[in-house]
Structures are given as structure tokens and as C-alpha cells.
Amino acid sequence: MHLNTRVSRRLTLATSVGLSLALVTGCSSNSTDTAAATTTTASSAPNEQASATPRLAVSYDGGVLVLDATSLDMVGETELDGFTRLNPAGDGRHVMISAGETFKVLDTGTWSSAHGDHSHYYTADPVMSEVEFAADEPGHVVRHAGKTVLFNDGSGLVEIFDPVQLAKRQPRVETYTTPEPHHGVAVALADGSLLTTIGNSESRNGIAILDADRKEILRNEQCPGVHGEAVAADETIVLGCQDGLLVYKNGAITKVQSPDVYGRIGNQAGSEESDIVLGDYKTDPDAELERPQRVSLTNTTTSELELVDLGTSYTFRSLGRGPHGEALVLGTDGAIHVIDPNTGAVTKKIAVIGEWTEPTEWQEPRPTLFTLDHTAYVTDPTSKKLIAVDLEDGSILTETTLDHTPNELTGVTG
């Protein structure tokens, strides 16, 4: 594997931007300082490290690669048939893989174990876990408030569990089934309540809030085509609609209207460092493939929605957030557009790859943006490259050429 390294540095232990990632069992105060306590799925004897070792997972047609997030060296590979989707499991170690009729679990082989006032850090070879969750149509995976929630589009089954348990056993799962199956999403909240979408196989139109006993206490059905979710500051949950957004905050649901009759926001990126959510923005309901050049910034405190014209198109895998809450968009011009969410100003353009065109089918590989701590990672399927970018100064830290054409991209903190 070719590796071109301009700057070599170890990423600090951090959270993935916009996600509430908890560390594995070793991070609780009552856990033991033994590698064995958290390595039941590891395929090799653990090696102790001086610091946390973040890793990346990259899907391709036929499998998933695992790479060191600092050097971009490949540390493992697993073969999987068919199109797969990747999401962090929420414990800083595992990755959920939506494959066929199952949510599979990939142990990336990097974790931390607390010992009094400090932690110990370990790595091992990545391996597919024996833990899995049956789902005829595996859909969204959401991490929040120390819980991971899986949504089965085919049955409406919602499964809620503590991701820390993934390292030891099949987690204890709390379940809820929506009245009708649909392409939906659910979010576990800190007080034990649950937010879930409302819909059926024909349409989706809103969200409901269920208390800890799963009794409905609030709903809003003013969100046609509800899709996607993001978490902003103060446990604010935002979901996109074909005509704006729904914002759940402090026990109330607020509708934020798009400036256009059809102004679809279907994908969002939030940050707990910011009360403003970044979203896509489409205005043609009849388009087979719309290539928008504007993004949306929604203030969840004031309910103000602002549109920012980038002068370039982007896709649903182009949105991200930086370590300071800055909004990031990977354009088809090959640059990361850095936006001040408070002013809507594009403060920086970081050239990363060449110009590209969005493919027709959403499953097809396209350049993808993923952020971890102060680093942005960008895939270039045409050249099979993966590039690491320093978000502070805009420099290229590292890049590598992969053995396969990359598709989806995610990572864990270790």
C-alpha cells in the first residue's frame, strides 16, 4: 500500500463531531484494569499503547477495510457480500454494519480501559463480532445519551441498547415497535424517553415522543417526508421535512418552515458545540437527481433558517461538523467549504481532490467526508485515495491509495 505522509501525529482522544460517543466499558469508574475484561471479540492478544488509537472503517464492494486513523496504514479487512452501510456503534470501538437482513458488528480492535485517575489503551486485530441483530430491512443507527438505537424499516422494530456491552456479549435490548413499519428513525433521550418517526410504507409525516413507559406524550404531524436526524446543543433533536424541519427541545416540538413551498432538508449534521444544524436543501420535487448548490443552517434556539450558496453542488455524504462546531461541506469542486454557522460566511475552502460528479444511484461510490477530532477524512473513489486533512490549518496530513474503491467511511476514537 502506497503511503505519502507529510505530517505524522497521533490524534488525541476525542469524540466524533456531532455524535455522542461514549468510550467502552473500561471508561466507567468501576471497571477493572484488565484487557480481558473488554476483549471477548478480539482476534489477537491485545497490545497496550501509550495513547488512544483511533481507527477508520471503509466499505467497498465486497468488504470493509480497517485503517489506523493517523498513519492510514491498513490494519485489517473483512469480506462481506453486497452493499453495506457503516455507522459507529457508540462505544468508541465497534462499527455497526447494515448488511442484507442484519445489523452486524465489527470490532475495530481499539479500546480504552479506565484505572482510577487514568486509562490504559489497547489495540488488537479487527474482527467481525459474533454479536448481530436480525433486521429484514436494517435502517438508521443513532447514538445518543449513552444508548444506541437500531431501526428496522421492514418491521418498525426499534432496538435500544448500551453499546458498552458489545465487547462482552449480546447486549440486553429494550424494544419498541412502531404502529406501522416505515423508513424511519428513533432517538433515545437522556431522561429515558424515546423520539420516533410517524409513518407507514406509503408516507411519513412527523414524530412522536414516548415516555419511559413508551406511552405517547407528544406528537407533531407537520413534517411530510420526515427523514434524517441530528443532535444539536442542549439535547436538541432535529429532523428534516420536505418543507423544513421539526425541532424537539425542552419538551416541545417546533416546526421551522422552509422559504420555498418545497424546500426539502433530508440530511443534517449537528454538533453539541452548536445550536445551529447544517442541512442539505433541495427545491425540485420532480427531479430524478437534483444537484443543489445551497445548504441550510437552522438556529434551533431562534427557529431561523438561513440558506448559504456554495457555488458548487454536493451530496448527502458531503456534510460534517468541525471540532469548534463549524459547518463543513465537501463540494463537487473537490474542496471542503468551511462555514461559520453563526454568520453563514464561508471562511475557508480547503482543496482536497479534483472535481467530481454525483453518480445517479445513491449506493454508488462518491467522495465522502468524515470528521474525527481536528481531522477531516475524504475519500476519492476515482483514484482510490483516502486523504486526511488538518481542519485547523487546512494542510494535507496524510494520504494513501487503497486496494479497493472506497464507498462509505466512518471511524472510532479508540
Side-chain angles (χ1 to χ4, degrees), residues 18 229-231 267-271 276-280 319-321 327-328:
E229 88 296 325
V231 179
N267 300 278
Q268 308 91 41
S271 167
I276 297 173
V277 169
L278 169 68
D280 57 2
L319 307 180
R321 301 301 290 266
L328 308 172

Side-chain angles (χ1 to χ4, degrees), residues 190-274:
D191 64 359
S193 58
L194 181 71
L195 181 154
T196 182
T197 49
I198 300 169
N200 54 43
S201 60
E202 301 298 325
S203 65
R204 309 181 303 275
N205 64 354
I207 62 173
I209 309 299
L210 315 175
D211 66 15
D213 296 322
R214 300 305 174 242
K215 177 182 177 182
E216 185 177 312
I217 55 177
L218 188 66
R219 72 163 43 204
N220 183 299
E221 297 183 50
Q222 299 175 330
C223 188
V226 59
H227 187 269
E229 88 296 325
V231 179
D234 302 320
E235 199 179 38
T236 301
I237 315 298
V238 179
L239 297 97
C241 317
Q242 291 178 354
D243 58 358
L245 295 154
L246 289 184
V247 178
Y248 178 69
K249 184 175 186 177
N250 297 328
I253 302 173
T254 302
K255 175 62 182 284
V256 178
Q257 197 73 33
S258 292
D260 298 280
V261 174
Y262 182 90
R264 183 180 188 272
I265 302 172
N267 300 278
Q268 308 91 41
S271 167
E272 295 190 6
E273 302 297 321
S274 174

Side-chain angles (χ1 to χ4, degrees), residues 20-26 38 41 87-96 105-106 129 131 133 141-150 159-173 188:
S20 181
L21 292 180
L23 289 174
V24 292
T25 47
T38 57
T41 59
N87 288 279
D91 63 349
R93 172 176 178 174
H94 294 86
V95 168
M96 304 299 302
V105 180
L106 171 65
S129 170
V131 174
F133 303 82
V141 178
V142 178
R143 303 146 301 280
H144 181 65
K147 299 292 185 180
T148 300
V149 182
L150 311 179
E159 296 180 278
I160 308 162
F161 61 90
D162 180 351
V164 167
Q165 297 176 5
L166 288 171
K168 294 184 176 182
R169 59 181 179 272
Q170 186 83 25
R172 293 185 296 272
V173 175

Side-chain angles (χ1 to χ4, degrees), residues 11 53-59 64-76 86 93 95 106 108 110 126 370-372 375-379 386-388 400 402 408-414:
L11 293 174
T53 305
R55 285 180 171 176
L56 304 173
V58 183
S59 71
V64 179
L65 305 172
V66 179
L67 295 87
D68 182 282
T70 302
S71 66
L72 301 188
D73 287 338
M74 191 175 78
V75 295
L86 307 178
R93 172 176 178 174
V95 168
L106 171 65
T108 67
T110 181
F370 174 74
T371 59
L372 193 66
T375 304
Y377 298 91
V378 174
T379 60
L386 173 63
I387 303 104
T400 189
L402 304 171
E408 294 212 344
L409 170 68
T410 193
V412 296
T413 60

